[in-house]
Amino acid sequence: GAELGGRGLLALAVASGAAAWATWAVLLMPGFRRVPLRLQVPYQPSSPRQVANALALLRGRAGKTVDLGSGDGRLVLEAHKQGLRPALGYELNPWLLCLANYRAWKAGCHGDVSFLKKDLWKVDLSDCHNVIVFLAPSVKPPLATKLLAELPDHARVVAGRFPFPCWTPSSSLGQGLEQVWAYDMKEVRRETQGSAQESRV
């Protein structure tokens, strides 16, 4: 009986490992192809509290809202429900795009929100009013450069899990892993330009 139990545990461990590998190969790896290693971001769904905090920092705003690396689409759907329209997500992983579209259909929002298979580094953000960013720390510095170059002054960026290291947030909500930060581009540009002038003096 003990030997059988040991074999059973071994079989369970092997099956679990195979399932983990299959999840990576089918769901996650496709989104990483052709993406530089330092810019790869593993899929990690946002918690209900993270979603609520992010949308709270966008309450009362309007205009085009995008989620960069939208995953299963939950942030885009909540943005749409809050009245932020149009709401769309950019995601490279085709399986996550399917999941996001399924969630939109299930919520009765199919056709009202958009999930596009596009590289976030290649999309034009110049007409965006609100940008949601739940990405890894390694992505934040190059993304900050892109956002500064493209977003209008009235835009607001909401970052989850990790803040932008060189920006001062205009507001923040939550603690620990649930914390989110809001950045108003007009203030960020003013601070960035002031720092650049000081460095030249």
Side-chain angles (χ1 to χ4, degrees):
E3 184 179 354
L4 182 60
R7 289 180 179 175
L9 289 175
L10 179 60
L12 180 60
V14 171
S16 299
W21 180 87
T23 300
W24 161 256
V26 175
L27 294 179
L28 304 180
M29 189 173 63
F32 282 178
R33 290 173 183 158
R34 300 187 192 138
V35 178
L37 182 63
R38 70 185 182 89
L39 300 181
Q40 291 181 3
V41 181
Y43 169 59
Q44 183 178 358
S46 304
S47 71
R49 177 49 55 190
Q50 287 172 333
V51 173
N53 287 345
L55 272 297
L57 293 182
L58 293 177
R59 190 168 293 127
R61 293 180 58 81
K64 183 177 179 179
T65 301
V66 300
D67 182 10
L68 302 179
S70 53
D72 63 10
R74 63 186 67 194
L75 283 158
V76 173
L77 291 175
E78 288 302 319
H80 174 78
K81 292 176 184 177
Q82 186 169 299
L84 295 167
R85 300 172 185 177
L88 66 150
Y90 294 118
E91 174 60 55
L92 282 177
N93 190 307
W95 300 101
L96 291 176
L97 285 169
C98 289
L99 179 57
N101 281 304
Y102 169 75
R103 289 172 64 92
W105 171 80
K106 191 175 180 181
C109 301
H110 187 67
D112 296 327
V113 297
S114 300
F115 298 102
L116 306 177
K117 186 181 179 183
K118 289 188 176 182
D119 185 342
L120 66 87
W121 303 104
K122 298 178 181 179
V123 297
D124 181 10
L125 302 175
S126 60
D127 62 343
C128 296
H129 297 253
N130 309 292
V131 178
I132 303 172
V133 181
F134 275 64
L135 298 173
S138 61
V139 177
K140 295 295 173 64
L143 183 58
T145 301
K146 176 179 174 65
L147 296 176
L148 275 171
E150 297 181 14
L151 288 179
D153 276 349
H154 60 265
R156 171 170 280 196
V157 177
V158 173
R161 297 197 186 101
F162 305 100
F164 282 88
C166 296
W167 291 0
T168 301
S170 55
S171 58
S172 179
L173 186 62
Q175 295 181 345
L177 293 177
E178 314 295 345
Q179 188 170 5
V180 294
W181 299 263
Y183 305 89
D184 293 313
M185 293 309 299
K186 188 173 184 178
E187 296 178 13
V188 170
R189 284 198 175 95
R190 185 183 298 119
E191 180 184 22
T192 303
Q193 290 168 359
S195 298
Q197 289 174 357
E198 289 179 6
S199 64
R200 285 196 296 265
V201 170

